[in-house]
């Protein structure tokens, strides 16, 4: 694909561009709803900025956990001539990547802390729930351009030649990034519909977690980047999907019982 483009003599990563588009779209969506419903759009901006701290930290922390072998390599090489260089390489690799689920869980934790301090921000949850898959839609498009988060070998798909991950190159692979982008876009429209119909006020985030965890579990079978980590026959993301699904089912069951329509 095209991981980089040149603009005015400067090389820019397409992933970074799509990420910025996702952040911009998310911010515009949330702020527009704040203004439309008589709220201060600065509330939405402040909430997103504070939550982004958890997103950033969580994404990198989970990436570090999945790549624990790097730390083991550092520990084994402590005392060697180039132990400091090995340590810097490990830090550079870990902070050079992130995992979506880590960012999502980190953002949720940050949101819980914010709402404990500012419970009046609770209305923002129904705006942010659809905005998450909207952001993720652009992120997965960026993954496709970069050649990361690639799919399994398949006759249906495309061959990467300039992927930022060497393992992806030279093999025809299923475009799982585009599939997940489409799923996220549909999830955005579905959650926005529920929001407009005022279903399950301030609880849409649980429906997002339910729908996405189920979709992600099955999408993972089409992923080919096994370096992200496996336990038995399940990937790290599948295990997290199962845990999230089990955690939100009781809440959703209670909501549906109270709102049978």
């Amino acid at each position: 694909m095209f991981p980089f483009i040149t603009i005015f003599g400067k090389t820019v990563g397409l992933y970074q561009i799509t990420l910025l588009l996702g952040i911009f779209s998310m911010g515009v969506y949330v702020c527009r709803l704040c203004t439309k419903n008589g709220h201060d759009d600065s509330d939405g901006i402040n909430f997103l900025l504070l939550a982004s701290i958890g997103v950033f930290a969580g994404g990198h922390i989970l990436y570090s956990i999945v790549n624990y072998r790097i730390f083991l390599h550092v520990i084994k090489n402590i005392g060697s001539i180039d132990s400091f260089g090995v340590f810097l390489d490990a830090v550079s690799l870990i902070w050079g990547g992130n995992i979506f689920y880590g960012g999502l869980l980190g953002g949720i934790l940050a949101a819980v802390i914010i709402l404990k301090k500012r419970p009046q921000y609770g209305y923002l949850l129904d705006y942010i729930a659809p905005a998450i898959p909207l952001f993720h839609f652009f992120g997965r498009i960026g993954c496709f351009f970069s050649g990361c988060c690639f799919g399994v070998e398949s006759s249906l798909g495309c061959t990467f030649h300039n992927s930022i991950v060497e393992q992806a190159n030279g093999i025809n692979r299923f475009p799982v990034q585009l599939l997940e982008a489409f799923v996220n876009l549909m999830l955005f429209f579905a959650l926005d519909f529920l929001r407009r119909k005022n279903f399950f006020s301030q609880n849409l985030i649980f429906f997002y977690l339910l729908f996405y965890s189920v979709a992600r579990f099955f999408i993972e079978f089409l992923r080919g980047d096994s370096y992200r980590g496996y336990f038995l026959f399940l990937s790290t993301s599948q295990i997290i999907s199962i845990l999230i699904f089990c955690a939100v089912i009781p809440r959703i069951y209670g909501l549906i019982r109270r709102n049978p329509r």
Side-chain angles (χ1 to χ4, degrees):
M1 288 299 101
F2 308 97
F4 304 100
I5 59 173
T6 302
I7 302 176
F8 301 117
K10 300 289 185 180
T11 301
V12 182
L14 275 174
Y15 179 77
Q16 285 72 23
I17 293 176
T18 56
L19 204 63
L20 289 174
L21 285 174
I23 293 171
F24 177 76
S25 299
M26 186 181 196
V28 169
Y29 176 80
V30 171
C31 290
R32 177 179 173 274
L33 290 180
C34 285
T35 304
K36 183 179 178 180
N37 292 284
H39 300 292
D40 189 347
D41 59 2
S42 64
D43 290 349
I45 295 173
N46 292 335
F47 193 99
L48 289 174
L49 287 175
L50 291 172
S52 67
I53 297 174
V55 172
F56 180 82
H60 288 295
I61 289 173
L62 184 57
Y63 188 83
S64 303
I65 294 173
V66 170
N67 291 279
Y68 69 92
R69 294 181 183 84
I70 300 172
F71 284 115
L72 294 180
H73 177 69
V74 172
I75 293 172
K76 289 180 181 179
N77 285 275
I78 289 178
S80 66
I81 297 176
D82 195 32
S83 59
F84 184 67
V86 172
F87 173 75
L88 290 180
D89 288 342
V91 171
S92 175
L93 179 60
I94 288 169
W95 288 99
N98 62 80
I99 293 178
F100 173 77
Y101 258 144
L104 176 63
L105 297 176
I108 290 174
L109 177 60
V112 170
I113 296 172
I114 295 169
L115 291 176
K116 283 187 177 295
K117 298 291 185 181
R118 297 285 189 274
Q120 66 272 24
Y121 283 174
Y123 72 91
L124 287 168
L125 294 179
D126 286 348
Y127 303 165
I128 292 175
I132 296 173
L134 178 62
F135 162 78
H136 203 185
F137 163 75
F138 286 99
R140 283 303 183 221
I141 294 295
C143 289
F144 178 73
F145 283 126
S146 296
C148 62
C149 306
F150 50 85
V152 295
E153 294 184 36
S154 172
S155 58
L156 175 65
C158 55
T159 303
F160 294 101
H161 297 287
N162 300 297
S163 171
I164 59 175
V165 182
E166 185 61 34
Q167 181 184 346
N169 291 320
I171 300 174
N172 209 64
R173 296 186 177 278
F174 181 78
V176 68
Q177 310 98 320
L178 298 183
L179 172 62
E180 190 171 351
F182 175 77
V183 168
N184 275 292
L185 188 61
M186 294 302 100
L187 186 51
F188 162 71
F189 286 124
L191 291 171
D192 186 63
F193 172 79
L194 293 177
R195 179 198 59 77
R196 286 186 281 109
K197 294 298 182 181
N198 201 30
F199 288 150
F200 308 110
S201 179
Q202 297 189 25
N203 286 284
L204 286 184
I205 187 67
F206 296 104
F207 285 87
Y208 163 72
L209 292 172
L210 175 71
F211 297 147
Y212 181 73
S213 63
V214 172
R216 181 64 182 267
F217 180 85
F218 291 103
I219 287 174
E220 282 293 301
F221 288 114
L222 299 173
R223 293 278 291 263
D225 50 344
S226 58
Y227 63 85
R228 293 170 302 112
Y230 273 81
F231 179 73
L232 298 179
F233 58 90
L234 295 176
S235 70
T236 302
S237 293
Q238 285 177 316
I239 294 171
I240 295 174
S241 293
I242 293 172
L243 294 176
I244 289 177
F245 179 85
C246 293
V248 300
I249 276 294
R251 178 63 176 255
I252 291 178
Y253 176 72
L255 287 170
I256 293 176
R257 285 195 62 186
R258 293 196 297 271
N259 301 274
R261 287 183 302 172

